[in-house]
Amino acid sequence: MERNYISESIYVLDDGPWALDQVSGFWVTLDGRIARPGFLLTRIDGKIKWFKPKWVNPSYIHPAGYVYARDSYKNHYWHRVIARAWIPNPDNKREVHHIDHNPRNNSLNNLQWVTHAENNQASWDTQTRKRPQHDKNGRFTWK
């Protein structure tokens, strides 16, 4: 298998470019496939064993519709893993927005980095989330 080093976290393998998400440690392809990294393990008897990378299946879906993978200590939401690996974030924005508002569509052209305010504004503009308003008695209502 030919491996070409492009940058600190992007490699080109036989099946295309792979990027490393520094936070979760997952490798991500351009089409959104995610794999756990392979690793070498030196046993007590001195032999070295190679553990192959394993594909991560979208086995969990959050009640809000977001796909995630469970690690031993944390849930890794796929849209965040894909965005950290492939989409530059020069302004250090903290949230990932689904442009078509479909939380299961994790393709690269559907994700973008946004601030919390931008994310809320986008959901209010498309009415995927209702804006709180006051009724005549001063109480909050959702319209």
Side-chain angles (χ1 to χ4, degrees), residues 7-101:
S7 72
E8 181 178 315
S9 61
I10 298 178
Y11 286 87
V12 177
L13 303 176
D14 291 340
D15 58 347
W18 287 77
L20 175 65
D21 173 25
Q22 301 286 343
V23 175
S24 67
F26 293 138
W27 286 93
V28 184
T29 63
L30 279 172
D31 61 0
R33 292 180 297 150
I34 297 177
R36 294 187 191 276
F39 60 93
L40 292 173
L41 180 66
T42 305
R43 299 187 332 196
I44 295 174
D45 60 3
K47 292 184 179 177
I48 297 175
K49 180 167 175 74
W50 168 252
F51 289 89
K52 293 181 180 178
K54 293 184 179 178
W55 291 109
V56 177
N57 294 321
S59 53
Y60 299 98
I61 297 178
H62 188 272
Y66 296 101
V67 179
Y68 65 96
R70 289 188 76 101
D71 203 348
S72 58
Y73 63 94
K74 186 175 179 180
N75 295 336
H76 298 283
Y77 290 92
W78 281 37
H79 63 287
R80 296 189 62 78
V81 171
I82 293 168
R84 283 192 302 251
W86 286 108
I87 302 173
N89 188 7
D91 299 329
N92 203 21
K93 295 183 178 182
R94 298 182 55 134
E95 294 186 13
V96 178
H97 173 64
H98 290 83
I99 296 170
D100 70 353
H101 303 285

Side-chain angles (χ1 to χ4, degrees), residues 5 14 18 25 36 46 48 54 63 69-70 81 88 90 96 102 106 113 123-124 133 136 141 143:
Y5 174 77
D14 291 340
W18 287 77
R36 294 187 191 276
I48 297 175
K54 293 184 179 178
R70 289 188 76 101
V81 171
V96 178
N102 178 1
N106 293 316
W113 288 103
S123 62
W124 287 331
Q133 295 180 355
K136 64 181 180 180
T141 60
K143 293 187 178 184

Side-chain angles (χ1 to χ4, degrees), residues 105-116:
N105 182 359
N106 293 316
S107 62
L108 275 176
N109 57 2
N110 187 48
L111 302 175
Q112 71 182 60
W113 288 103
V114 293
T115 63
H116 183 67

